[in-house]
Amino acid sequence: MGNGFQVQDRFAEGAQYIGGRLRAGTSGRHQEVVNPATGETVHRYELAGPDDVDAAVAAARAAFPGWSGATPAERSDALHRFAAVLAAQAGDFAYAESLQCGKPAKLSAEFDVPGTVDNAAFFAGAARHLEGRSAAEYSGDHTSYVRREAIGVIGSIAPWNYPLQMAAWKILPAVAAGNTIVLKPAEITPLTSLMFAQAATEAGIPDGVINIVSGAGRDAGEHLVGHPDVVMTSFTGSTAVGRRVAEIATATVKRLHLELGGKAPFVVFDDADLDAAVNGAVAASLINTGQDCTAATRAYVQRPLYDAFVAGVAALMETVRLGDPFDPSTDLGPLISHQHRDRVAGFVERARGYATVVTGGEAPGGPLAAGAYYRPTLITGAAQDSEAVRSEIFGPVLVVLPFDTDDEAIRLANDTPYGLAASAWTRDLYRANRATRDIAAGCVWVNDHIPIISEMPHGGYKASGFGKDMSAYSFEEYTQVKHVMYDNTAVAAKDWHRTVFGDR
């Protein structure tokens, strides 16, 4: 995989994409994009300030009448071209994503980029299927039908763990439904969001439909959420920041979509395929170096399988290869930054006081010491109310706890403020049905954990937020439902008027 471009050259004009072109920010403050595998700066740019947000919102507002007035077929054709441009540039996208995030090349090239291309292709088709209820005479005297209409300028904020995919999840359903958008990516990982917007322009999507402001949350993010011309906010990130976003959005009566934190349970019943559960737990806890809000973080294992499960997971974790993200043999890349690596390490070090670190629990030395690496870590012996079990660590750390009865497994799985994702491992159909019914999470997998598809919705319960990304359900977030009613009687004096004036 080659880089295909030099980052400094590609974004020499700036890291804001407004009205179809790159431009520099105007905040007067600069941000470095750092390769977390080496600690080296790969790009330096001027952050967006409130004036840049205003310009981006103005561009989106100006583009809205034309884009929302286009036919579904016209928007669909544009998104099909967009998917083709993304596919043609897949190598550059994968390179840039690994460069700014430290993702192993195989994860970027085989998961992030193909998933994004597929999302674009899905929403190209979905753009032609914005359906309402069939017309009917529900009152007897009137014909009613439902219109789905674009709502206006969307202001979205995306996180740093999946910059490309999160840009796609925010942008694609919004524009497929006829809206225009201003996206603020995380300021430490803006590169692929900017490339995504550039690809849209190359595909012929009109200027101003998709705009990117690369700025800090306190300046650009809060100004975007509170902007009077932004009609909806979609945010993915931590629950703590989500609360702040909600405060600002609700103060201006905006529609709000939140996809927040998670602490996904991984429930292994005593009839499960042990090898499948062990492999699944390692993959699901370590994907993206554990920086995934749906990652398996709490494994509850029925006591007959507990010891074998712990031994199997520990042994498999010890085979995972840390290394250069661009080495095809690398399994696990660094965490997003040294600061975040130290945060994850802090959770593990505190856990040593009340639990057992079976494997991992350290940063590697040698050639990897300059990067934000941390070894895959397995913890046992932690209490249900301990920090390691309750808090979102967001790193390559799995905590395993035993249970005895099915009732206990469900209770423990639900004993969390979060409810984004979960999995149940069993060969028993009735156990599986109960788990999928009773575990309070927006996605429950059976005998797998992590796979997502464009056709199915993604979103949480409880403190994990509300609203759905992907799938046709996402149009519920990005369209306004309008009831239209026609009188069929041609009678001037209606019978119901007597409730206001006159007699029958």
Side-chain angles (χ1 to χ4, degrees), residues 363-374:
L368 301 182
Y373 290 89
Y374 198 76

Side-chain angles (χ1 to χ4, degrees), residues 265 267 269 406-407 409-415 422 424 430-441 444 461-462:
V267 182
F269 293 97
D406 289 19
D407 287 347
I410 301 298
R411 178 180 62 79
L412 292 170
N414 285 334
D415 183 22
Y430 297 98
R431 270 178 161 167
N433 279 343
R434 183 190 178 189
T436 59
R437 183 177 64 247
D438 290 353
I439 294 176
V444 181
Y461 287 24
K462 303 188 290 186

Side-chain angles (χ1 to χ4, degrees), residues 15-392:
Q16 319 304 324
Y17 197 75
I18 299 172
R21 67 179 184 87
L22 287 169
R23 53 187 272 183
T26 61
S27 69
R29 296 186 298 111
H30 288 79
Q31 173 70 44
E32 292 183 342
V33 179
V34 176
N35 179 353
T38 64
E40 297 173 350
T41 297
V42 298
H43 188 54
R44 187 173 185 269
Y45 69 94
E46 189 167 359
L47 287 161
D51 289 347
D52 303 301
V53 173
D54 290 344
V57 172
R61 187 178 181 189
F64 177 73
W67 183 248
S68 62
T71 66
E74 288 169 337
R75 289 197 295 270
S76 177
D77 288 347
L79 289 171
H80 276 300
R81 295 193 302 270
F82 188 18
V85 172
L86 293 171
Q89 297 178 8
D92 284 352
F93 274 102
Y95 172 81
E97 194 77 335
S98 288
L99 188 67
Q100 68 180 353
C101 299
K103 294 174 185 281
K106 62 183 180 181
L107 179 65
S108 294
E110 298 175 29
F111 184 80
D112 296 63
V113 175
T116 300
V117 174
D118 185 71
N119 260 229
F122 171 81
F123 281 107
R128 302 185 75 158
H129 295 281
L130 284 168
E131 298 177 349
R133 291 180 183 272
S134 299
E137 288 68 48
Y138 296 99
S139 77
D141 290 338
H142 305 82
T143 297
S144 288
Y145 68 89
V146 169
R147 290 175 57 88
R148 282 196 176 275
E149 298 179 348
I151 58 178
V153 177
I154 313 300
S156 293
I157 299 176
W160 49 257
N161 57 334
Y162 289 101
L164 177 60
Q165 285 198 307
M166 293 299 98
W169 286 18
K170 300 298 183 196
I171 291 170
L172 291 169
V175 301
N179 301 287
T180 56
I181 190 167
V182 178
L183 174 78
K184 191 200 88 65
E187 62 269 32
I188 60 174
T189 56
L191 303 183
T192 48
S193 297
L194 293 164
M195 293 168 62
F196 191 79
Q198 289 177 311
T201 299
E202 291 180 43
I205 293 176
D207 294 349
V209 172
I210 299 172
N211 306 276
I212 308 294
V213 289
S214 306
R218 290 288 184 185
D219 297 330
E222 293 196 2
H223 190 66
L224 177 62
V225 173
H227 199 288
D229 290 334
V230 169
V231 298
M232 173 185 163
T233 291
S234 176
F235 170 80
T236 296
S238 72
T239 298
V241 177
R243 291 191 188 100
R244 176 60 180 159
V245 169
E247 289 173 4
I248 299 170
T250 53
T252 51
V253 198
K254 285 178 171 53
R255 187 179 295 197
L256 186 60
H257 170 204
L258 298 174
E259 199 263 271
L260 306 176
K263 191 71 176 175
F266 185 101
V267 182
V268 183
F269 293 97
D270 58 12
D271 66 325
D273 181 324
L274 179 62
D275 287 342
V278 166
N279 281 278
V282 173
S285 63
L286 300 185
I287 187 170
N288 203 34
T289 319
Q291 300 166 127
D292 187 312
C293 46
T294 63
T297 58
R298 301 177 289 139
Y300 296 104
V301 184
Q302 205 151 18
R303 211 168 290 274
L305 293 185
Y306 178 81
D307 289 341
F309 179 87
V310 169
V313 167
L316 188 53
M317 278 187 169
E318 288 166 5
T319 70
V320 171
R321 298 163 296 185
L322 283 67
D324 177 358
F326 295 103
D327 184 335
S329 68
T330 292
D331 297 321
L332 198 72
L335 291 157
I336 190 65
S337 67
H338 287 82
Q339 181 183 13
H340 185 58
R341 194 267 311 277
D342 293 346
R343 176 184 177 276
V344 170
F347 278 104
V348 177
E349 291 309 305
R350 290 189 296 274
R352 294 184 192 277
Y354 57 80
T356 300
V357 177
V358 178
T359 189
E362 63 181 3
L368 301 182
Y373 290 89
Y374 198 76
R375 294 194 185 282
T377 300
L378 179 64
I379 295 173
T380 61
Q384 176 66 14
D385 62 356
S386 64
E387 180 188 54
V389 176
R390 307 294 296 178
S391 298
E392 189 174 25

